[in-house]
Amino acid sequence: QSVLTQPPSASGTPGQRVTISCSGSSSNIGSNTVNWYQQLSGTAPKLLIYSNNVRPSGVPDRFSGSKSGTAASLAIRGLQSEDEADYYCASWDDSLNGFVIFGGGTKLTVL
Amino acid sequence: QVQVLESGPGLVTPSETLSLTCAVSGGSINSYYWSWIRQPPGKGLEWIGHIYYSGSTTYNPSLKSRITTSVDTSKKQLTLKLSSVTTADTAIYYCARASGPPHHWFAPWGQGTLVIVSS
């Protein structure tokens, strides 16, 4: 069972803008919405972006999501040290009887 | 606000059945989907499946033959049973409230419970 493709790592300095990509196919991202999760070290994942580009209450507007075709991306502007975490994209996959598929995760390092 | 808390045995013997419970507090279990997600140590996330409060289920095809989930609305509890476990099933198991179709997002998540499969 394949996963959505994310770069294993990303980095940036405080204040910078970084983006994390998430590549899928027509059966998942191409026909369904994308959600993003942030996992700080040693904690449970937290919903960061849902339905491609919607921020839940309490998530800073420095975080934004977008989707085009079979790919999605998460952008973080004004990078802060507390943004250092693992980030996962996820989407529904219509193949078989349908299931949720996650990306492999991207470890973001704030230099 | 709703909170979820997983609990389980911590250690399971290979070939046995793993059994976990998720307790929901601070909100209703009704009218929601509830998902199980796992994460092997140091690895990524894997969706196990979800159950609607009415009891209808959808499972990950790769695990479907070994999974049983249930919901007890009176106790506000969910259960996950995974049969014939191997060391590959060693993971942190999370319970999360799910939006269900069409967007399938998860929030909030429980703190997770670590299950080690070992003899």
Side-chain angles (χ1 to χ4, degrees):
Chain A
Q1 187 178 89
S2 59
V3 300
L4 302 177
T5 301
Q6 297 181 236
S9 63
S11 63
T13 57
Q16 268 191 328
R17 181 180 186 273
V18 296
T19 61
I20 296 171
S21 62
C22 175
S23 177
S25 67
S26 58
S27 65
N28 42 67
I29 294 177
S31 50
N32 294 288
T33 57
V34 177
N35 308 309
W36 290 90
Y37 300 90
Q38 177 192 57
Q39 186 175 32
L40 300 172
S41 180
T43 69
K46 167 192 158 186
L47 181 65
L48 194 65
I49 297 285
Y50 68 94
S51 303
N52 300 329
N53 56 17
V54 182
R55 281 177 287 104
S57 174
V59 173
D61 61 3
R62 303 185 294 104
F63 294 91
S64 63
S66 63
K67 187 189 103 166
S68 178
T70 59
S73 64
L74 172 70
I76 310 171
R77 60 176 173 80
L79 194 64
Q80 299 182 4
S81 58
E82 56 260 41
D83 298 333
E84 185 161 293
D86 293 324
Y87 292 85
Y88 294 90
C89 60
S91 182
W92 183 258
D93 193 296
D94 292 329
S95 62
L96 301 172
N97 286 324
F99 58 97
V100 174
I101 189 168
F102 282 96
T106 298
K107 181 171 181 58
L108 174 63
T109 301
V110 181
L111 302 170
Chain B
Q1 59 185 18
V2 65
Q3 293 183 311
V4 295
L5 182 64
E6 310 87 345
S7 60
L11 180 65
V12 182
T13 303
S15 80
E16 298 293 305
T17 295
L18 176 164
S19 183
L20 299 175
T21 298
C22 173
V24 178
S25 61
S28 177
I29 199 170
N30 294 334
S31 303
Y32 287 102
Y33 286 82
W34 301 88
S35 268
W36 290 95
I37 300 145
R38 70 180 183 178
Q39 184 173 35
K43 297 188 178 181
L45 301 167
E46 179 180 34
W47 182 72
I48 296 171
H50 69 217
I51 185 166
Y52 194 44
Y53 80 101
S54 62
S56 64
T57 58
T58 303
Y59 297 143
N60 188 321
S62 68
L63 298 168
K64 186 176 182 178
S65 64
R66 299 194 289 132
I67 299 171
T68 303
T69 60
S70 62
V71 56
D72 186 329
T73 54
S74 63
K75 293 183 178 179
K76 295 176 69 174
Q77 284 186 347
L78 306 132
T79 60
L80 166 69
K81 294 185 186 297
L82 180 65
S83 64
S84 304
V85 297
T86 70
T87 55
D89 295 311
T90 293
I92 299 172
Y93 285 76
Y94 296 101
C95 173
R97 190 177 65 178
S99 67
H103 302 299
H104 298 282
W105 45 259
F106 309 121
W109 296 56
Q111 64 183 20
T113 186
L114 174 62
V115 176
I116 297 173
V117 179
S118 174
S119 55

